[in-house]
Amino acid sequence: MASLITCPHCGQRPKEEFTIKGDAGLTRPAPDADADVWYDYVYLRDNPKGLHKEYWHHSSGCRRWLIVERDTVTHKVHSVADAALAELGGAA
Amino acid sequence: MSSYRLSTGGQIDRARSIKFSFDGKALTGHPGDTLASALLANGIQLVGRSFKYHRPRGILTAGAAEPNALVTTGTGGRTEANTRATMIELHDELNARSQNRWPSLAFDIGAVNGLLSPFLSAGFYYKTFMWPAGFWEKVYEPLIRKAAGLGKASYEADPDSYEKCWAHCDLLVIGAGPAGLAAALTAGRAGARVLLADEGFAFGGSLLTDGDARLSAMLAEFEALPNVQCLPRTTVIGWYDDNVFGAVERVQKHVAEPDPRQPVERLWRIIAKQAILASGAEERPLVFGGNDIPGVMMAGAMRSYLNRQAVAPGKRVAVFTTNNAGYRTAADLEAAGIEVAAIVDPRSEGEPGWNGKAKVLTNSCIVDALGGKAVSGVSIAGASGVQRLEADAVAMSGGWSPVIHLACHRGAKPVWSDTHAAFLAPERQEGLLLAGSAAGLWSIEACLNDGARKAAEALEAIGFAKVEPAFAEGDTAQRAATPFWFAKGSKGKAFVDYQNDVNLKDLGLAVREGYGDVELAKRYTTNGMATDQGKLSNINAIGILAEARGVSPAEVGTTTFRPFYTPVSFGALTGVSRGKHFQPVRKSPLHDWASKNGATFVETGLWYRAAWFPRAGETTWRDSVDREVLNIRQNAGLCDVSTLGKIEIFGKDAATFLDRVYCNGFAKLAVGKARYGIMLREDGMIYDDGTTSRFSDDHFFMTTTTALAAGVLTHLEFCAQTLWPELQVHFASSTDQWAQMAVAGPKSRAILSEIVEEDISDLAFPFMSARTVSLFGGKLEGRLFRISFSGELAYELGVPAGYGEYVADAIMQAGQKHGICAYGAEALGVMRIEKGHVTHAEINGTVTPGDLGCGRMVSATKPDFIGKAMLAREGMQAPDRPRLVGVKPLDPKARFRTGSHILSDGAAATLENDQGYVTSSCFSPNLGHTIGLALIKNGPERIGEKVMIWNGLRNEFTDGVICSPVFIDPENEKLHA
Amino acid sequence: MRYSALSVFLNGLRGNKGWAPAWRQPQPKPHYDVIIVGGGGHGLSTAYYLAKTFGITNVAVLEKGYLGSGNIGRNTTIIRSNYLLPGNNPFYELSMKLWEGLEQDFNFNAMVSQRGVLNLFHSDAQRDAYTRRGNAMRLHGVDAELLDRKAVQAKLPFLDYDNARFPIMGGLLQPRGGTVRHDAVAWGYARGADSRGVDIITHCEVTGIRRENGRVVGVETTKGFIGCGKLALAAAGNSTVVADMAGLRLPIESHVLQAFVSEGLKPFIDCVVTFGAGHFYVSQSDKGGLVFGGDIDGYNSYAQRGNLATVEHVAEAGVAMIPSLTRVRYLRTWGGIMDMSMDGSPIIDRTPIDNLYLNAGWCYGGFKATPASGYCYAHLIARNEPHETATQMRLDRFARGYQMDEKGVGAQPNLH
């Protein structure tokens, strides 16, 4: 993994300031979605070898949840965006 | 004892003497010496014994790759095993001992292994020691373990300190040889922020060995460049993602008595925009019989000792070389008046331009060095047969391998170059350039030019305007290298990995047995697994495997270069996080209050919590806890609950949000009310619980358990920011801002009434009320909650942290006449078990609300909340899930413990019969016997059933009965009093 | 060729010229009854037991690297069966029993060393959790002892008892736990499988899974197409990549776990100890290096390398447990890719594709499971039904709500 993450709010910070949750490609299903859709969401993972979007939390910083796009082979970070702003269509 | 100090020359300070000892013998050296050079100067060439055959070994190198000269230094807590004598800067009182020998270095019983060597071939231990089956641990392994290992580590604590720091720079230059110096100068002149690190105590690299006159001017220029930070004695140990480098600075490893105000080692984490790897090249040993006899030395090392420390390796030196390095050594030896017996060169044409005295034997190789504990001569095989020459030292040079370790730390593979007969660094990698010998250039001029040019390139890549290289382009032509993997026809053992005693035959055997892959050969023979990690041995092993397999070295490939470049101490990696400072301490705002009331504290995560408050005459913790519990249930008590997590929740959608993160309803919670909430994970299991109060329409106050205070906040932020960013809701942790105290017991209302202005009667302030109150006649505002963990009439009062101690004192004073006592976490625990309240002992991450008897709390009407969907799965609703009940002993005098398992009465003690386990237990002073909470299959349907409370681990087997988890006041009369 | 003290002696007399290759280097045949993807510990042990116990010898093991280049070649060598849950505990105890007879069984000294595994505890809550665990072990006849602080101090006097931030209260000891020479396990199984006819084909990467009529008919590889009757995945950290070739999405994430070895030392510590107040565990190899590790780095990765911060955390926890470690040196650090499952427990099961079998989700505990994993997987492949100790290691347990979550942290792999 990267040693450094460039937080869109705080700038380049060491990885240890962040905590990782995991796959940001998952979309929480509608409440009435089928059981297998929920199973997919909670338990199955793409786990790609290559580009991967993940939720990272700047827990020792601005406490924003970020979407970090990263390569799981080279560990290179390609982009970092504020998750809420990305979701709402705003600029990160 | 053929090595000695020359009477003149070298870069040592002859005016000063340094006293040190080796194996108890008092010796002297000079500033500028390493331990290795000082030993050689004192005529000591035998410095260690090899790992397996205990062969006598001498100093082979003058650097970090040294496989033989490992010594133990220091005493007591400063004992340090396996230190390379070649890297120890000589200092007063240095106490060095040889290793892996018994009874002495000169006479080592273990050398008998050499005679047994036919039976100790590579991997022999995989083929035997298997019978009888039980003998491995009892007989063979202890013997092997005792014989194996190198130095002995101390069990004494280290008196010295360590630290860590961060650094940011435009350019990190690794290695201060010609290429590194040229790079740093170029970048320094361009105004870049430069870090220049070198593992040695003196900058210069091969300029030092050459005695190059340009060095002093370069070093002087650095003095005038404040933007260049020089880090001597600093080894860059690893290259990590995003161009972050680890480095270890040996701050005080070269002083007799470290200054306690300074660390002995410092770990640097360097964030470099660009880096230049100018780590030079490693000279290769040659593989021939007896190439490990003390007196056989790398040609470059011999030259370094000669020129830097004025140490002569002997009186008559044989040189065995495949390249010009041996000739340079021969020239310098002759210049110092030392006879060179011959230059033995396997190449047909030798090295052009040799005009020294020594004869050159081309098309020849040394097949054996002769001697025991010192070299006495060599056997040379040439076109005309084998001849013997007398010599007391041998210089060898098998060519050069660029030191590319760091460039390979991030997964890229080295590339074989036929021209260099060496592996070069992987093609261009972002942020790192190789310069000088590390890039396969062998001459000083070429290295200076390359370093300067690479620095200019690196800086221009990060936006510097045109940078002028400090050295102009010069002649960089160089001859192609000739690989030479081993001498054929050796009689003696020809070592490839010196320290691990891997010889030519071992590698041949590995190939024959199917372990010819470079990784398998390493693992089977242990070649390259010694403390030098194959710095000297790997390339020869690869060449030998290639020949044996009939393929090119490119096809054999390398094993993986991994951090660290050289070994790194735990101390440097630990820094100041030692002992009591391993983790930070959190203290509640009421810590001092508890302390002055005599609390015994216990570590709870990072917190220190008051566990109980012993009083005079109480001899055990139980005495204190029983007294506290009985007093609270009869009178009142005050407990610090500040460590519980506290989160302020604001926003017009706060109620909607809480409705979605709790499984029970919160949208309709009235202002001024608190409610117990259960929070699930998305998989349907309980994550945490606590009370949340509403202070206004858009302001809630959530409490969490102590353990998950941070986790719950993170979870809420995740939900708010990623799942429902459209909701207007915001959070602020206020755990540290509030001193929170529980006042519990039938007298609690009377006590609190004395300091709270408002009416707190049951009518005005009923159970689950929560509101801001005025204290001490309006001097202070607090938050009062009528909630109870103990099951008593109870309140929690929160005041700003700074007032906590004052308010606690006031409550204690007001409560004195009511018999108030301070109580701790233990009494709190007893009372909650008596009341059947759960903590994380029950909420263990695998229970559902239904398992805890809270199934009805789970909203059936809310369309959505975290965990709702997964809670519906078959296995989450299965009737035989372990569910919460109470257990008690049949005989009130009998005890049982938490962690005991539950078996049906009369059932055999098997895992299949396991019914559950005791999650919490205590002695109930109110009931007079042990009580417990348990998760038992189908528990609530089995109330009254006799069971075995089984603790095989302690041989305690207690007849018990399943009961309700609520042991006290099941009707909640006390609570609502 | 049988290995023994006598064979070592006789070959030694003859200049060690007589040793035969430990295994063949076969080219793939067009078709096998069973193809196992992954020539690491689990794949090789599966092949071994398929041939030896279940009589299925027309088997190929396909390995993209060198033999044993997966996590069998990069772990911290610990074996133990100190599991809590009924779905796990009997399986790991089966593994322990197989370890105990392994070397004589496959005629290769893997240096199974039952030197004891001690888990320290530092709080009442940890002691209670270990009591629960130790009793679960005892109920299954597994050895477990609860040591108090004094007993721990008598056993390991050099831990920090005087100045610790989190004082040691005691420990749970499994005397039969210990260490094994990891590479030798791969080699022993490989040699045993090879001698029974199994083709171990290295440097042969599976690049595709060919299906016809809903069944797997073979695999595309870097050495061409190879047909099979049954396809068994044992690809550890690369499980997702291989399963993806069959259109199967897994409840798995791949994470990097680092491990470390120190310079060689004379005997320093003679059992395996895990710290309870931080991520650190340590044992000492027969060669003298301290072998130690900590937690996973915490992010998805297919790179077999980790980060410096984790290395530092491990050092800090190590020194917190053994203060005198400060002057001991790390020699080498490395990383392996862990197939972290969603509940921390493994999967040995059939899949929705009839003749495709899955062995995955070992998290960072795969090494100790090697014998039982191979045995139970071979049982499943041969008989199409799970072995009695692996009945709960099902792929559909998540969908049905029967997770086996020893740690209780839920569907977040980096917390297991």
Side-chain angles (χ1 to χ4, degrees):
Chain A
M1 172 53 235
S3 308
L4 305 167
I5 297 287
T6 303
C7 172
H9 308 293
C10 311
Q12 192 183 64
R13 305 296 307 160
K15 177 194 85 87
E16 294 69 53
E17 290 188 1
F18 300 80
T19 37
I20 309 138
K21 173 135 175 123
D23 200 338
L26 304 165
T27 306
R28 192 167 185 270
D32 55 355
D34 285 349
D36 55 345
V37 177
W38 273 100
Y39 160 66
D40 252 47
Y41 169 69
V42 177
Y43 287 108
L44 296 187
R45 296 288 181 267
D46 280 347
N47 190 28
K49 188 172 187 172
L51 274 191
H52 185 40
K53 282 189 178 179
E54 284 169 332
Y55 283 122
W56 286 64
H57 187 229
H58 197 184
S59 35
S60 299
C62 60
R63 296 201 64 88
R64 294 297 294 178
W65 278 92
L66 310 174
I67 296 176
V68 176
E69 190 180 17
R70 205 169 57 79
D71 191 303
T72 59
V73 181
T74 66
H75 291 173
K76 186 176 166 63
V77 173
H78 290 270
S79 68
V80 185
D82 184 287
L85 294 177
E87 174 73 19
L88 296 172
Chain B
M1 304 308 111
S2 52
S3 61
Y4 57 97
R5 180 94 71 189
L6 296 168
S7 55
T8 58
Q11 299 153 22
I12 48 171
D13 179 2
R14 291 179 192 257
R16 272 188 55 211
S17 282
I18 293 174
K19 290 185 170 43
F20 71 104
S21 71
F22 178 67
D23 278 344
K25 190 173 170 193
L27 301 165
T28 59
H30 298 290
D33 264 325
T34 61
L35 174 61
S37 71
L39 288 170
L40 290 169
N42 281 281
I44 296 173
Q45 286 177 290
L46 171 62
V47 294
R49 289 278 175 168
S50 68
F51 187 79
K52 191 155 126 188
Y53 304 130
H54 291 249
R55 287 172 66 100
R57 289 285 167 80
I59 293 159
L60 191 66
T61 73
E66 178 60 37
N68 291 341
L70 303 189
V71 297
T72 300
T73 62
T75 54
R78 289 196 175 113
T79 303
E80 211 165 289
N82 306 335
T83 306
R84 290 152 293 166
T86 50
M87 296 301 288
I88 300 174
E89 199 173 339
L90 198 68
H91 57 82
D92 272 317
E93 295 168 47
L94 173 64
N95 173 338
R97 282 95 67 200
S98 58
Q99 304 182 155
N100 200 35
R101 78 287 188 267
W102 187 84
S104 75
L105 185 57
F107 178 76
D108 181 5
I109 295 275
V112 72
N113 285 355
L115 301 175
L116 299 174
S117 64
F119 316 111
L120 308 181
S121 59
F124 77 97
Y125 32 77
Y126 298 122
K127 298 167 181 162
T128 181
F129 301 134
M130 286 178 270
W131 305 269
F135 261 43
W136 175 252
E137 288 93 340
K138 289 187 194 71
V139 181
Y140 305 126
E141 188 178 50
L143 285 172
I144 289 172
R145 287 195 64 186
K146 196 157 170 264
L150 299 166
K152 206 166 151 51
S154 169
Y155 289 127
E156 286 182 55
D158 189 337
D160 295 327
S161 62
Y162 300 82
E163 72 176 30
K164 299 180 187 179
C165 67
W166 291 75
H168 298 254
C169 62
D170 294 317
L171 182 68
L172 168 67
V173 180
I174 301 156
L181 290 170
L185 265 186
T186 302
R189 287 177 189 170
R193 279 200 298 169
V194 180
L195 279 180
L196 173 60
D198 192 283
E199 63 186 352
F201 57 85
F203 279 6
S206 54
L207 296 176
L208 286 167
T209 314
D210 284 5
D212 196 305
R214 289 171 288 185
L215 178 59
S216 56
M218 293 165 86
L219 297 181
E221 189 173 347
F222 285 127
E223 299 285 322
L225 288 171
N227 53 322
V228 178
Q229 186 175 3
C230 293
L231 294 170
R233 305 184 179 92
T234 303
T235 308
V236 179
I237 53 173
W239 184 34
Y240 296 92
D241 296 324
D242 301 316
N243 236 30
V244 172
F245 292 82
V248 173
E249 181 184 3
R250 296 180 301 282
V251 183
Q252 295 195 90
K253 286 287 191 178
H254 58 295
V255 297
E257 187 64 35
D259 178 345
R261 294 164 301 180
Q262 288 281 320
V264 289
E265 286 186 298
R266 179 182 290 134
L267 179 75
W268 290 73
R269 240 201 268 183
I270 300 167
I271 297 160
K273 287 184 186 156
Q274 291 281 315
I276 287 179
L277 185 59
S279 41
E282 196 74 59
E283 195 168 22
R284 286 178 209 164
L286 288 162
V287 179
F288 57 90
N291 62 347
D292 65 328
I293 297 172
V296 178
M297 195 184 276
M298 305 306 310
M302 193 180 278
R303 188 162 161 265
S304 171
Y305 290 125
L306 185 68
N307 294 344
R308 290 185 61 182
Q309 284 103 2
V311 171
K315 298 200 165 49
R316 194 162 191 267
V317 182
V319 176
F320 184 14
T321 185
T322 66
N323 64 93
N324 69 345
Y327 292 81
R328 276 189 302 190
T329 301
D332 287 0
L333 286 167
E334 290 190 347
I338 299 158
E339 185 185 354
V340 175
I343 300 175
V344 182
D345 191 332
R347 298 175 298 179
S348 52
E349 73 281 19
E351 188 74 17
W354 169 250
N355 53 13
K357 283 184 259 176
K359 63 185 169 192
V360 177
L361 304 174
T362 56
N363 279 322
S364 302
C365 54
I366 293 180
V367 285
D368 281 291
L370 310 170
K373 287 174 193 152
V375 172
S376 59
V378 292
S379 286
I380 300 167
S384 54
V386 175
Q387 59 170 308
R388 281 191 177 204
L389 282 183
E390 271 187 35
D392 56 4
V394 178
M396 60 177 168
S397 178
W400 299 84
S401 302
V403 175
I404 57 171
H405 296 65
L406 288 168
C408 303
H409 278 179
R410 289 169 64 188
K413 289 280 182 195
V415 185
W416 173 256
S417 160
D418 275 325
T419 320
H420 294 83
F423 284 95
L424 301 183
E427 288 299 303
R428 193 160 279 271
Q429 299 181 78
E430 202 179 321
L432 184 75
L433 293 167
L434 280 92
S437 304
L441 301 174
W442 308 142
S443 81
I444 298 272
E445 296 313 314
C447 291
L448 287 168
N449 294 335
D450 193 45
R453 205 167 49 79
K454 295 283 171 60
E457 185 183 335
L459 292 185
E460 282 164 18
I462 53 169
F464 278 73
K466 179 102 182 85
V467 174
E468 201 56 46
F471 290 85
E473 203 69 45
D475 178 20
T476 57
Q478 63 186 37
R479 282 182 75 184
T482 313
F484 181 84
W485 302 123
F486 60 94
K488 293 178 179 71
S490 295
K491 293 202 173 68
K493 280 196 177 63
F495 286 91
V496 181
D497 188 311
Y498 284 79
Q499 193 183 106
N500 277 352
D501 274 341
V502 180
N503 63 50
L504 187 57
K505 286 182 180 171
D506 291 322
L507 289 164
L509 178 62
V511 172
R512 286 202 302 285
E513 292 197 274
Y515 301 88
D517 186 291
V518 67
E519 286 281 0
L520 293 179
K522 166 188 158 181
R523 288 148 191 268
Y524 192 59
T525 67
T526 74
N527 189 87
M529 293 170 78
T531 58
D532 67 318
Q533 288 285 287
K535 287 188 178 64
L536 295 181
S537 61
N538 277 356
I539 184 65
N540 284 333
I542 290 165
I544 291 162
L545 291 174
E547 284 212 16
R549 284 166 50 187
V551 300
S552 84
E555 188 164 327
V556 173
T558 63
T559 55
T560 310
F561 291 99
R562 291 188 180 278
F564 297 124
Y565 170 61
T566 52
V568 178
S569 72
F570 270 82
L573 293 166
T574 297
V576 299
S577 303
R578 286 164 66 191
K580 293 281 188 206
H581 300 293
F582 166 53
Q583 296 276 293
V585 168
R586 291 184 80 179
K587 285 182 179 171
S588 136
L590 294 173
H591 188 90
D592 290 346
W593 167 80
S595 193
K596 74 187 179 196
N597 280 276
T600 297
F601 290 97
V602 64
E603 297 82 2
T604 308
L606 297 181
W607 296 97
Y608 280 102
R609 289 185 74 180
W612 60 86
F613 292 80
R615 286 187 182 171
E618 291 171 351
T619 53
T620 68
W621 66 273
R622 265 280 309 282
D623 290 349
S624 309
V625 173
D626 288 359
R627 181 217 359 111
E628 289 169 19
V629 169
L630 291 170
N631 186 64
I632 295 153
R633 296 229 185 268
Q634 193 175 353
N635 299 310
L638 170 60
C639 180
D640 177 11
V641 292
S642 305
T643 62
L644 292 180
K646 299 183 258 322
I647 302 168
E648 312 287 334
I649 303 173
F650 297 97
K652 76 174 175 58
D653 296 321
T656 309
F657 177 83
L658 287 172
D659 234 23
R660 294 187 193 175
V661 293
Y662 277 126
C663 72
N664 50 326
F666 270 81
K668 293 183 186 133
L669 180 66
V671 171
K673 286 291 177 188
R675 182 171 290 170
Y676 174 70
I678 294 179
M679 202 178 281
L680 307 184
R681 299 188 307 230
E682 199 68 276
D683 70 353
M685 299 297 184
I686 302 179
Y687 179 53
D688 201 43
D689 66 346
T691 58
T692 289
S693 311
R694 191 168 199 170
F695 287 124
S696 70
D697 277 349
D698 58 1
H699 178 199
F700 290 79
F701 174 73
M702 177 185 284
T703 64
T704 74
T705 59
T706 299
L708 284 182
V712 168
L713 179 60
T714 300
H715 172 66
L716 298 183
E717 288 169 334
F718 178 79
C719 294
Q721 293 175 32
T722 76
L723 300 182
W724 310 303
E726 70 283 2
L727 295 185
Q728 275 195 27
V729 58
H730 301 278
F731 315 95
S733 165
S734 59
T735 303
D736 293 309
Q737 279 66 37
W738 294 98
Q740 190 94 354
M741 47 210 106
V743 184
K747 312 273 179 68
S748 57
R749 181 181 293 130
I751 295 167
L752 279 174
S753 296
E754 296 196 21
I755 65 165
V756 176
E757 295 302 303
E758 286 82 354
D759 179 5
I760 56 169
S761 66
D762 189 51
L763 201 63
F765 198 72
F767 184 57
M768 295 313 265
S769 295
R771 103 176 39 133
T772 301
V773 292
S774 180
L775 307 173
F776 309 111
K779 285 187 200 138
L780 186 65
E781 270 200 351
R783 289 174 175 178
L784 190 66
F785 308 84
R786 189 165 164 203
I787 53 181
S788 174
F789 200 39
S790 57
E792 292 299 318
L793 166 67
Y795 301 82
E796 280 188 21
L797 176 64
V799 297
Y803 294 96
E805 191 174 344
Y806 175 86
V807 174
D809 286 344
I811 295 173
M812 291 299 283
Q813 185 142 17
Q816 205 167 14
K817 58 182 176 288
H818 300 289
I820 195 169
C821 70
Y823 71 102
E826 286 295 333
L828 191 69
V830 169
M831 290 188 292
R832 71 96 189 168
I833 296 171
E834 288 179 333
K835 186 65 186 171
H837 284 157
V838 295
T839 67
H840 278 295
E842 287 74 34
I843 305 176
N844 62 18
T846 64
V847 299
T848 66
D851 298 341
L852 298 185
C854 304
R856 278 179 306 166
M857 270 180 69
V858 179
S859 168
T861 55
K862 286 197 287 186
D864 189 17
F865 57 85
I866 298 281
K868 180 180 166 106
M870 287 287 110
L871 197 52
R873 288 174 292 171
E874 164 202 334
M876 305 288 278
Q877 300 294 335
D880 64 343
R881 286 184 63 86
R883 285 186 279 157
L884 186 74
V885 287
V887 282
K888 56 188 181 186
L890 273 184
D891 172 0
K893 289 196 290 296
R895 302 176 47 207
F896 59 85
R897 295 180 209 251
T898 308
S900 301
H901 283 236
I902 304 295
L903 298 170
S904 299
D905 188 31
T910 65
L911 196 60
E912 292 71 31
N913 289 336
D914 194 4
Q915 299 298 303
Y917 76 104
V918 178
T919 55
S920 302
S921 67
C922 65
F923 177 79
S924 165
N926 291 291
L927 300 173
H929 60 78
T930 297
I931 58 172
L933 300 178
L935 288 164
I936 297 179
K937 285 180 186 171
N938 241 334
E941 276 81 67
R942 296 167 68 173
I943 303 285
E945 181 181 324
K946 197 182 156 212
V947 290
M948 163 63 67
I949 306 172
W950 193 89
N951 191 345
L953 201 56
R954 290 182 183 263
N955 266 315
E956 295 171 356
F957 309 101
T958 312
D959 288 321
V961 63
I962 299 177
C963 58
S964 157
V966 185
F967 293 90
I968 293 253
D969 189 27
E971 308 302 324
N972 289 332
E973 285 168 8
K974 287 162 151 282
L975 205 62
H976 290 286
Chain C
M1 173 181 279
R2 195 169 162 74
Y3 293 156
S4 67
L6 184 64
S7 73
V8 169
F9 179 71
L10 293 176
N11 271 288
L13 291 181
R14 281 180 255 137
N16 287 306
K17 298 281 186 211
W19 294 111
W23 39 71
R24 298 166 295 129
Q25 293 183 329
Q27 286 305 306
K29 293 191 279 190
H31 189 273
Y32 292 92
D33 293 341
V34 178
I35 286 180
I36 297 164
V37 182
H42 291 213
L44 292 168
S45 70
T46 303
Y48 176 81
Y49 292 114
L50 269 178
K52 177 169 184 279
T53 310
F54 299 95
I56 300 174
T57 56
N58 185 22
V59 175
V61 178
L62 306 184
E63 167 53 51
K64 73 180 164 87
Y66 59 93
L67 194 155
S69 54
N71 293 335
I72 190 83
R74 53 192 81 255
N75 60 70
T76 45
T77 79
I78 294 165
I79 59 168
R80 55 184 171 87
S81 57
N82 53 359
Y83 279 74
L84 173 67
L85 299 176
N88 279 326
N89 173 325
F91 171 86
Y92 286 99
E93 179 57 14
L94 169 68
S95 210
M96 183 61 81
K97 292 212 168 85
L98 290 169
W99 282 121
E100 286 169 332
L102 187 63
E103 294 153 306
Q104 292 71 29
D105 186 52
F106 65 24
N107 181 229
F108 203 91
N109 185 0
M111 305 178 198
V112 175
S113 172
Q114 293 181 286
R115 51 181 73 182
V117 171
L118 178 65
N119 301 117
L120 299 179
F121 55 79
H122 309 256
S123 68
D124 287 351
Q126 279 185 327
R127 178 203 55 213
D128 293 346
Y130 277 131
T131 304
R132 177 191 176 198
R133 179 175 298 262
N135 276 319
M137 292 162 68
R138 285 290 191 100
L139 279 174
H140 191 59
V142 181
D143 58 325
E145 295 171 22
L146 199 69
L147 306 189
D148 63 11
R149 179 181 161 95
K150 245 174 87 180
V152 172
Q153 193 161 8
K155 190 175 171 62
L156 300 167
F158 48 86
L159 308 187
D160 192 350
Y161 301 96
D162 305 324
N163 191 38
R165 173 72 177 79
F166 302 101
I168 295 165
M169 286 177 62
L172 182 68
L173 175 70
Q174 185 183 17
R176 284 160 68 240
T179 60
V180 181
R181 170 81 183 97
H182 57 103
D183 289 319
V185 177
W187 301 338
Y189 276 125
R191 187 166 159 267
D194 175 89
S195 70
R196 288 171 175 85
V198 172
D199 281 356
I200 300 164
I201 302 161
T202 58
H203 302 285
C204 177
E205 182 171 358
V206 172
T207 55
I209 295 175
R210 194 185 289 180
R211 282 186 289 166
E212 283 169 17
N213 304 322
R215 288 177 61 83
V216 173
V217 294
V219 290
E220 314 286 350
T221 77
T222 47
K223 294 190 176 180
F225 176 79
I226 311 173
C228 65
K230 293 178 175 181
L231 183 64
L233 309 185
N238 284 298
S239 292
T240 297
V241 177
V242 186
D244 199 40
M245 296 173 192
L248 206 59
R249 225 167 145 232
L250 299 180
I252 280 174
E253 287 184 9
S254 297
H255 284 257
V256 63
L257 176 71
Q258 298 192 65
F260 314 91
V261 66
S262 79
E263 294 178 332
L265 298 169
K266 289 293 173 195
F268 182 82
I269 186 164
D270 61 5
C271 62
V272 183
V273 195
T274 70
F275 190 45
H279 294 288
F280 181 76
Y281 57 91
V282 63
S283 66
Q284 186 170 18
S285 77
D286 287 339
K287 193 163 171 285
L290 301 183
V291 182
F292 54 101
D295 200 7
I296 55 175
D297 278 25
Y299 41 83
N300 284 40
S301 176
Y302 285 91
Q304 289 175 328
R305 60 199 175 82
N307 232 274
L308 184 58
T310 308
V311 181
E312 294 173 44
H313 290 317
V314 168
E316 288 164 12
V319 170
M321 186 170 93
I322 308 175
S324 65
L325 279 181
T326 47
R327 297 207 181 230
V328 171
R329 297 190 201 93
Y330 281 60
L331 175 60
R332 187 176 173 85
T333 76
W334 65 94
I337 304 307
M338 309 294 118
D339 38 335
M340 302 297 294
S341 72
M342 300 306 276
D343 61 359
S345 294
I347 299 157
I348 301 177
D349 201 1
R350 305 181 63 179
T351 69
I353 300 164
D354 191 43
N355 59 343
L356 179 68
Y357 299 78
L358 179 68
N359 175 316
W362 294 97
C363 300
Y364 39 77
F367 177 69
K368 72 180 88 71
T370 305
S373 170
Y375 194 90
C376 293
Y377 200 27
H379 184 283
L380 178 77
I381 296 163
R383 306 217 171 133
N384 266 339
E385 57 188 47
H387 184 261
E388 60 179 7
T389 65
T391 55
Q392 296 185 43
M393 295 178 172
R394 309 303 289 267
L395 180 57
D396 68 355
R397 66 178 184 264
F398 305 101
R400 294 190 301 116
Y402 291 95
Q403 304 87 275
M404 291 199 289
D405 191 346
E406 295 253 337
K407 267 185 158 178
V409 294
Q412 190 163 341
N414 65 356
L415 298 181
H416 284 292

